[in-house]
Amino acid sequence: MPSDADFLREALALAEEAARLGEVPVGAVVVKDGEIIGRGANRGISSADPRARAEVVALRDAAARLGNYRLAGCELFVTLEPCAMCVGAMMHARLARVVFGARDPKTGACGSVVDLPAVDALNHHTRFEGGTLGEECGAVLRKFFTERR
């Protein structure tokens, strides 16, 4: 059975593809029963859509494949700590767990700027875990922004 790191490496490949297209290099995969059922990479620039974040693209792909917006029992692996919009989408999708790589000190909503998963009043609680392949994931982002400056 593939490990968390294996799934994050799949997300990293999507992030690198996004970078080649001039998009901020973030990638995500949705997994159910050990199989990838959704893939996404940032495409906000190319689609002129602020919602086209890697996580949302992967959630849409998985929901379309399952025929249901609720992704109970699924896990999402993403290269960067999710923002508030993406955390909200993940919780509404009823994901069981989210694993992310690098922390995001500017918009991270899993403890870096705010900690939405810790809000008890929310009606669904997805488990969020950060730091897996954090250095590798962060390096892809640093390289992209260094090259753009």
Side-chain angles (χ1 to χ4, degrees), residues 22 28 34 40 93 115:
D115 194 358

Side-chain angles (χ1 to χ4, degrees), residues 5-59:
D6 293 329
F7 290 125
L8 268 172
R9 284 189 187 92
E10 289 289 328
L12 265 170
L14 292 166
E16 289 168 352
E17 181 181 317
R20 284 190 294 277
L21 298 172
E23 298 278 358
V24 175
V26 178
V29 296
V30 176
V31 173
K32 182 169 181 67
D33 301 325
E35 180 184 334
I36 295 174
I37 61 164
R39 295 175 186 275
N42 271 356
R43 59 179 194 199
I45 295 167
S46 61
S47 67
D49 182 354
R51 300 165 301 157
R53 307 292 290 262
E55 300 97 312
V56 172
V57 173
L59 288 172

Side-chain angles (χ1 to χ4, degrees), residues 12 16 25 102 133-146:
L12 265 170
E16 289 168 352
L133 296 184
E135 185 53 42
E136 276 182 65
C137 294
V140 171
L141 285 155
R142 284 188 301 277
K143 179 179 184 254
F144 176 80
F145 287 113
T146 298

Side-chain angles (χ1 to χ4, degrees), residues 27-120:
V29 296
V30 176
V31 173
K32 182 169 181 67
D33 301 325
E35 180 184 334
I36 295 174
I37 61 164
R39 295 175 186 275
N42 271 356
R43 59 179 194 199
I45 295 167
S46 61
S47 67
D49 182 354
R51 300 165 301 157
R53 307 292 290 262
E55 300 97 312
V56 172
V57 173
L59 288 172
R60 285 178 177 158
D61 188 30
R65 287 183 193 208
L66 294 182
N68 192 339
Y69 78 96
R70 288 197 173 173
L71 302 174
C74 293
E75 300 173 307
L76 186 143
F77 296 82
V78 60
T79 57
L80 182 65
E81 179 181 1
C83 70
M85 177 186 72
C86 292
V87 169
M90 293 169 190
M91 292 168 91
H92 283 294
R94 306 295 198 264
L95 292 174
R97 182 171 77 121
V98 172
V99 176
F100 62 90
R103 292 252 171 219
D104 185 349
K106 296 187 178 188
T107 64
C110 299
S112 290
V113 176
V114 295
D115 194 358
L116 291 179
V119 176
D120 287 333

